[in-house]
Amino acid sequence: MTKMRLALAALLATAATPALADTLVTNANGVTVDAKGKLERFTGILVGDDGKVKRLLHGEMLKLGGDTKVVDAGGRTVLPGLIDAHGHVMGLGFSAIQLDLVGTTSLDDLKARLKAYADANPGTGWILGRGWNQELWPTKAFPTAADLDAVVGDRPVMLERVDGHAVVANSAAMRAAGVTAATAAPAGGRIENGLFVDAATALIADKVPQPDEATRDRALAEAQKLMLRVGLVGAADMGSTMDDWATFRRLGEKGGLKVRIFSYASALPGWRGINGGKATGWMYGERLRLVGTKLYADGALGSRGAWLKAPYHDKPDTSGLHFYTDAQMLADAREVSAAGGQLAIHAIGDKANAQVISTYEAIATEFGARRRGRIEHFQIVDPADIRRLKPAGIIASMQPTHQTSDMMMAEARLGQKRLGGAYAWHTVERLGIPLAFGSDFPVESPNPFPGLSAAISRQDPAGRPPGGWRPQEKVSLGRALHGFTRGAAYAGFAERTLGCLDVGCQADFIVVDRDPTKVDPQSLAATKVLETWVGGEKAWGAE
């Protein structure tokens, strides 16, 4: 009898709970992309009460239930929600609450910003900042400890280069970190005049006091807001630490995680520490998932840490830095693959890319090509090596705005004769290699529209250079949009439910102020997002 009463109570409770209503988005100038990169039009979206696409409309009228919520798009352009295939979510958040050095035009500009920040934030604690790029300065010389000491000498200062592969520290920071003139650079790193490159950055960064939970939560909230504001409904977080994962989980447990995070643990320590070295399923309504791990094969081009097959054109005494022997990389890759995790390996220089391709070829032989090994950046590649990707099932995860930021520097670093495989999006696409697009935020802006513009024009937002840099590597608007939607989802094993507006997919879409098919690349880059919807619910609005 007791069981019957409980069953009846449960039935009555279910009956008393009102069913969630469908949502119809109508009067839309819809633009989406199919699985082959072909642009398609639609006029509306019927979203089920589960937050998934129930039907994509093409002018037809529907007979609606009385509880269906109708949203009039007012003839505005609706696009699928965009996914960044390579970002740093917590890095984006911290960059919003620390000293911003993005766009500094000279060393004096950096000093002025540092002084203003120090004056506005008095105390004895560390000053942290990021975003400087000496390639934008007249002298192109790296900043030094002495430069920082002249502005702030009584408290530690660490300022990160825009690409995250170098930091400059003042004398107080080096003292706090126990770094002296006798300190040797670790393998894969370099130290010079207070500048710490690649593996050497840990000598300073590891001594910086860790932010508390409240600060981390604030940073994540800022990152989420910044992402939604530019139309990003999700991102692959490349290099999640255990603290990052805990921060994601805290917001998820509160029901506040609106964006979708594909988490890739920070190297093997992170992989082993998060969930015991095992990938997770989707959590919090497909908002968070540990997919695999990220490894680094080399450094960055700007700090001459990218590992090249031949010496740098503008510094012939170095060919860059590498972090793994072939055997070490294969051993780490094998451990992650054996546990069912996906590998995402950073490789910028042609030598590093060749090493990673060889690693994935070995993994494909042992575990199968369906592992979808990712190469993050794939920037400077020997053209002969590009054809090796498809047979090994490798995904090229690339960032269009890196090309527009780096093009002049790439010419200086490599010389004209070695640019045949540089930022080669069209070549990758033509060979049938899966292509995913992102930004590497906060190295670049998280805004995907300058990325879409760069992909189709090979020009920066100002239209430089005329005709585009190495224009033969442009892709169509459809392929560019595919890279920021279906391609990014495929790169994280999520193509069945994310990155598309197919029936059964999550209803992630954005409303923007212009039709991307009817504007030039520079106007496309200036697109403003008016609304961002995630899972059929409005997550952000310009109002």
Side-chain angles (χ1 to χ4, degrees):
M1 188 67 179
T2 301
K3 289 183 178 180
M4 288 182 64
R5 283 199 298 267
L6 289 173
L8 179 60
L11 180 62
L12 291 172
T14 301
T17 302
L20 296 174
D22 289 352
T23 299
L24 175 64
V25 180
T26 187
N27 193 21
N29 174 40
V31 181
T32 188
V33 62
D34 70 10
K36 295 183 178 180
K38 180 182 177 182
L39 292 173
E40 295 183 337
R41 293 282 182 175
F42 63 92
T43 60
I45 309 170
L46 181 62
V47 181
D49 59 14
D50 58 358
K52 296 181 180 180
V53 176
K54 205 169 183 178
R55 186 170 176 180
L56 205 61
L57 307 179
H58 300 86
E60 63 269 40
M61 300 296 291
L62 294 182
K63 185 176 181 180
L64 304 176
D67 57 351
T68 299
K69 177 183 177 182
V70 178
V71 177
D72 187 347
R76 296 175 300 179
T77 297
V78 177
L79 305 174
L82 304 178
I83 301 172
D84 193 304
H86 183 119
H88 304 276
V89 175
M90 294 303 296
L92 179 63
F94 282 122
S95 71
I97 62 177
Q98 295 174 350
L99 171 57
D100 181 11
L101 297 171
V102 173
T104 48
T105 57
S106 65
L107 177 59
D108 286 341
D109 186 11
L110 180 149
K111 288 181 176 181
R113 293 197 199 187
L114 174 57
K115 184 178 187 306
Y117 186 90
D119 290 345
N121 297 273
T124 59
W126 284 68
I127 293 177
L128 304 175
R130 68 160 306 281
W132 58 268
N133 180 0
Q134 84 289 348
E135 291 295 322
L136 301 179
W137 302 349
T139 63
K140 299 188 180 346
F142 287 102
T144 67
D147 294 326
L148 304 191
D149 289 344
V151 182
V152 177
D154 59 347
R155 55 193 292 199
V157 177
M158 184 186 76
L159 307 178
E160 186 178 16
R161 192 180 185 277
V162 66
D163 58 13
H165 286 267
V167 301
V168 61
N170 70 350
S171 296
M174 289 189 283
R175 285 194 298 271
V179 174
T180 69
T183 300
R190 187 172 79 247
I191 303 172
E192 52 186 59
N193 301 321
L195 183 75
F196 296 78
V197 179
D198 288 317
T201 60
L203 296 174
I204 302 294
D206 287 355
K207 300 302 188 297
V208 176
Q210 291 297 303
D212 58 20
E213 286 189 2
T215 303
R216 287 184 172 278
D217 292 348
R218 178 186 166 207
L220 178 55
E222 287 292 326
Q224 179 167 256
K225 181 169 64 177
L226 290 169
M227 290 171 64
L228 292 169
R229 189 169 70 188
V230 295
L232 289 179
V233 299
D237 186 58
M238 286 295 163
S240 308
T241 66
M242 287 184 281
D243 285 334
D244 294 342
W245 179 259
T247 306
F248 302 152
R249 291 291 306 270
R250 280 196 300 275
L251 189 58
E253 294 292 342
K254 295 175 183 177
L257 195 57
K258 298 181 184 298
V259 296
R260 306 187 189 280
I261 300 176
F262 304 70
S263 177
Y264 290 80
S266 179
L268 256 63
W271 172 248
R272 292 165 177 165
I274 299 175
N275 200 43
K278 295 180 181 178
T280 70
W282 281 105
M283 308 161 69
Y284 315 120
E286 291 192 65
R287 296 300 202 276
L288 177 65
R289 181 187 178 195
L290 179 65
V291 187
T293 191
K294 181 192 178 187
L295 308 177
Y296 284 87
D298 66 346
L301 202 60
S303 53
R304 296 190 184 89
W307 190 23
L308 304 179
K309 291 185 174 183
Y312 277 82
H313 180 74
D314 60 354
K315 200 173 189 302
D317 62 342
T318 183
S319 296
L321 302 168
H322 67 284
F323 300 162
Y324 282 92
T325 65
D326 294 348
Q328 289 169 336
M329 178 175 285
L330 181 57
D332 283 8
R334 184 177 285 124
E335 177 179 333
V336 176
S337 298
Q342 184 188 24
L343 288 156
I345 307 181
H346 164 117
I348 290 182
D350 52 9
K351 182 68 171 177
N353 274 287
Q355 181 189 47
V356 175
I357 294 168
S358 295
T359 299
Y360 281 144
E361 287 172 338
I363 290 297
T365 298
E366 186 171 351
F367 295 97
R370 295 181 181 178
R371 295 291 172 148
R372 299 188 190 177
R374 301 171 53 136
I375 300 183
E376 303 304 315
H377 307 306
F378 200 62
Q379 284 183 200
I380 308 299
V381 188
D382 184 334
D385 287 331
I386 299 178
R387 293 182 177 276
R388 300 167 60 193
L389 269 66
K390 187 175 181 181
I394 301 171
I395 295 167
S397 172
M398 305 177 76
Q399 300 76 44
T401 50
H402 278 343
Q403 177 259 305
T404 51
S405 294
D406 294 355
M407 53 192 173
M408 296 300 103
M409 177 185 65
E411 290 183 2
R413 295 286 188 267
L414 298 168
Q416 291 289 342
K417 294 181 180 180
R418 294 163 63 189
L419 295 173
Y423 312 87
W425 315 317
H426 177 68
T427 297
V428 167
E429 174 205 350
R430 179 173 53 81
L431 293 173
I433 299 161
L435 179 62
F437 277 152
S439 68
D440 199 11
F441 66 70
V443 175
E444 304 279 0
S445 165
N447 188 346
F449 288 96
L452 287 166
S453 172
I456 67 173
S457 70
R458 308 282 287 191
Q459 295 174 314
D460 67 16
R464 298 170 298 197
W469 187 79
R470 301 188 62 77
Q472 67 271 22
E473 292 295 351
K474 296 177 185 178
V475 296
S476 68
L477 177 60
R479 292 306 307 184
L481 187 59
H482 187 282
F484 276 104
T485 53
R486 292 178 183 270
Y490 178 86
F493 288 93
E495 70 275 13
R496 292 185 179 180
T497 58
L498 301 179
C500 60
L501 292 176
D502 299 344
V503 173
C505 288
Q506 292 283 354
D508 298 346
F509 57 91
I510 59 177
V511 182
V512 298
D513 69 344
R514 66 200 70 187
D515 185 334
T517 69
K518 296 181 178 180
V519 297
D520 62 32
Q522 286 66 55
S523 182
L524 176 60
T527 299
K528 301 297 182 185
V529 175
L530 305 175
E531 297 177 7
T532 301
W533 291 64
V534 182
E537 295 185 355
K538 187 175 176 180
W540 182 86
E543 69 275 7

